[in-house]
Amino acid sequence: MVFAATVLYLFLHFPSRTEAGAELVGEVCQYSRHYQSCVQTLTSHPQTFSAPNGKAIAEKALELARKESVHTSDFFTGSAHKNPASKPVLQKCASNFKQAVQFLNLSGLEGGTASLDVHYALDLAEYCRDALSSGRVQIDLATARVQKWTAVYDAAQATVVFLEN
Ligand SMILES: *[C@@H]1O[C@H](CO)[C@@H](O)[C@H](O)[C@H]1NC(C)=O
């Protein structure tokens, strides 16, 4: 609903810009492993949807991914307080996502290593996922949080690969 309303709003207000935005998002998401989810993520945020070019959309998508990492880290910090039995694992996840923030930037662009650099953030998310499963921590909200992070990450990663190609 929110997605459809946003698209409709943008379409009514900025018809030509919307067409350009939808076209850029479509091109970028060819580089994603999850095309539909990528399109949905990039079109549901006005900052990415209205980005005029590849560099701008990558910068905005990485900014979203950094914010999502901070939220996810904060979630795990809060969760560690509420679940004393799983505290070490949850704290580890909080620290993994906090570290992920620094890898979500375009500093490797000149050397053509940006997409590899960004990939470190995914490794960190996987350390957390592994810690949760080997620690047998089953918290639905945590799983949902990591899934949401992954959707935003995948879209941001696609923008970086698009730029490199
Ligand atoms: C950008 O990413 C690189 C590696 O991916 C990292 O070493 C660097 O600290 C990051 N820069 C900032 C400003 O976060």
Side-chain angles (χ1 to χ4, degrees), residues 66 101-108 113-114 116-121:
R66 286 194 302 269
V101 175
Q102 67 182 314
F103 294 109
L104 297 165
N105 68 57
L106 289 176
S107 65
T113 61
L116 270 179
D117 295 343
V118 165
H119 202 275
Y120 287 121

Side-chain angles (χ1 to χ4, degrees), residues 131-151:
L132 289 172
S133 72
S134 62
R136 296 184 202 287
V137 178
Q138 278 166 343
I139 299 174
D140 288 348
L141 281 176
T143 311
R145 255 271 136 228
V146 176
Q147 262 166 11
K148 176 148 188 268
W149 182 89
T150 307

Side-chain angles (χ1 to χ4, degrees), residues 3 36-45 48 64 151-153 155-156:
F3 170 67
Q36 291 296 344
S37 157
C38 174
V39 168
Q40 172 137 7
T41 301
L42 296 179
T43 49
S44 61
H45 294 93
T48 44
L64 289 177
V152 175
Y153 169 83

